[in-house]
Amino acid sequence: VDLSVTWLGRTMPGCLYNASGVWCREEDELEAVRASAAAALISKSATLAPREGNPEPRYHRTALGSINSMGLPNRGFAYYLDYARRYDYACGKPLFLSLSGMTLEDNLTMLRTLAAAGLPAIPEINLSCPNVPGKPQLGYDFVATTEALNAFDQAWPGRYGVKLPPYFDQAHFAAMAEILNRHPRLAFVTCINSIGNGLVVDIDSEAVAIKPKDGLGGLGGDYVLPTALANVREFYRLLPGKDIVGCGGVRSGREAFMHILAGARAVQVGTCLYHEGPAAFARIAAELAELMQAKGYRKLDDFRGRLRTL
Ligand SMILES: C=Cc1c(C(=O)O)[nH]c(=O)[nH]c1=O
């Protein structure tokens, strides 16, 4: 069974890697992911200046997944650029850099600096951070998204991707696709980021679970799988020629299989990785391979996008 993925002009050894934000804020975390069975890696969304993030507790696990309002804690763009300068691209595992500037100008500054560095690292620009108080998610503002993508095209000469929030309405899928399809170098979209502004309540303490935003935070894990699959399948249909990276609710070969069936080119793991660590990649890959074997599939192209309707 062959789990390799050919996209963005290269072939990576498998189809699984980390979701930005999980096991990727510090260099030792990035190195642990790279040394694991992950087929690629992506850094924590970077802002131009380092950020402490929101007050703790800001992450909480439940039986069905996670809620987080981290507030974009990160080492600052220069830290991840430095890692990208020293990265061994010959290892065959692509390095993605997630960018989430506090302003459009900051995103452009980071893109121009990355372009000047002339590295094989690929930007995934985050249009969907739900946890910086006072900052609406770019991906829910179609005018701002249009302006941002036009500016990205000027600031970055190569292929890039965007991390999208979940959409929940056919009109929004269509409106977003219409915008995204205007950008030929926008090579992939990653669906989805956490489902923003959920609220987890503890009935014993009669309190919320996390401190920021009076308890509101982005949901991950089992909570988001059907929404993630819907976003993957809708954008797979609506964005011909672009790749969709599936993210949301993957904790075994089964959910990875679902994402690829829905059209995902590659699959990211977040909440499950947060708790299991990078050993999750070998387990999930083995489970996916076993599932494919049982179904008579030899490679991912045998079933990618073949989700049947009734
Ligand atoms: C980049 C900030 C994000 C954060 C965060 O740092 O709070 N959490 C998420 O679930 N998604 C994000 O995109």
Side-chain angles (χ1 to χ4, degrees):
V1 174
D2 175 6
L3 300 183
S4 69
V5 173
T6 297
W7 66 320
L8 304 173
R10 72 203 62 202
T11 297
M12 58 193 213
C15 62
L16 301 169
Y17 60 114
N18 67 300
S20 178
V22 184
W23 224 281
C24 60
R25 193 183 325 155
E26 304 296 328
E27 178 160 349
D28 62 341
E29 293 176 310
L30 287 160
E31 280 297 287
V33 171
R34 190 177 66 79
S36 76
L41 59 160
I42 184 168
S43 56
K44 167 66 183 176
S45 290
T47 47
L48 205 47
R51 283 174 58 89
E52 286 295 312
N54 289 338
E56 296 182 333
R58 59 192 188 183
Y59 181 95
H60 180 77
R61 182 185 198 178
T62 74
L64 293 175
S66 64
I67 184 169
N68 90 84
S69 189
M70 310 303 283
L72 247 178
N74 75 96
R75 292 296 212 107
F77 175 63
Y79 179 89
Y80 303 105
L81 178 61
D82 176 61
Y83 179 76
R85 288 190 197 284
R86 292 180 285 105
Y87 186 80
D88 171 22
Y89 295 93
C91 80
K93 298 186 176 188
L95 171 63
F96 296 88
L97 294 183
S98 176
L99 306 177
S100 190
M102 296 301 283
T103 64
L104 175 55
E105 207 43 53
D106 281 3
N107 272 324
L108 300 180
T109 300
M110 292 189 282
L111 282 171
R112 292 187 190 111
T113 306
L114 184 58
L119 299 167
I122 304 163
E124 180 191 85
I125 305 159
N126 189 345
L127 304 184
S128 45
C129 179
N131 301 320
V132 179
K135 262 179 62 65
Q137 296 193 57
L138 203 55
Y140 287 155
D141 178 337
F142 297 137
V143 172
T145 294
T146 299
E147 180 197 8
L149 291 174
N150 288 336
F152 297 163
D153 287 345
Q154 303 301 314
W156 176 256
R159 286 183 278 222
Y160 64 100
V162 291
K163 177 75 166 282
L164 295 179
Y167 298 95
F168 302 92
D169 183 291
Q170 294 281 2
H172 295 165
F173 286 124
M176 202 54 194
E178 204 270 328
I179 296 167
L180 297 169
N181 279 323
R182 295 180 202 145
H183 301 273
R185 286 187 287 107
L186 175 59
F188 65 94
V189 301
T190 303
C191 298
I192 59 173
N193 206 319
S194 52
I195 294 180
N197 297 302
L199 184 64
V200 167
V201 171
D202 178 302
I203 57 170
D204 299 329
S205 64
E206 301 180 17
V208 300
I210 57 174
K211 186 175 177 69
K213 296 171 61 174
D214 287 346
L216 296 182
L219 302 177
D222 295 356
Y223 292 118
V224 311
L225 179 62
T227 296
L229 292 171
N231 278 257
V232 168
R233 204 279 303 274
E234 292 308 287
F235 283 118
Y236 179 69
R237 286 175 162 176
L238 291 168
L239 305 177
K242 297 187 190 301
D243 289 309
I244 316 299
V245 178
C247 183
V250 177
R251 58 180 167 103
S252 79
R254 295 169 49 78
E255 298 80 28
F257 186 89
M258 294 175 199
H259 270 276
I260 295 163
L261 198 57
R265 173 68 57 185
V267 176
Q268 295 180 350
V269 183
T271 297
C272 170
L273 171 62
Y274 187 106
H275 296 285
E276 185 170 345
F281 293 113
R283 176 181 61 79
I284 295 170
E287 290 165 350
L288 175 58
E290 190 179 343
L291 201 51
M292 288 169 64
Q293 183 85 36
K295 290 167 169 286
Y297 296 131
R298 276 191 328 95
K299 55 194 188 328
L300 302 183
D301 281 343
D302 290 348
F303 65 100
R304 177 176 290 112
R306 304 283 182 91
L307 176 63
R308 294 186 314 110
T309 52
L310 302 181

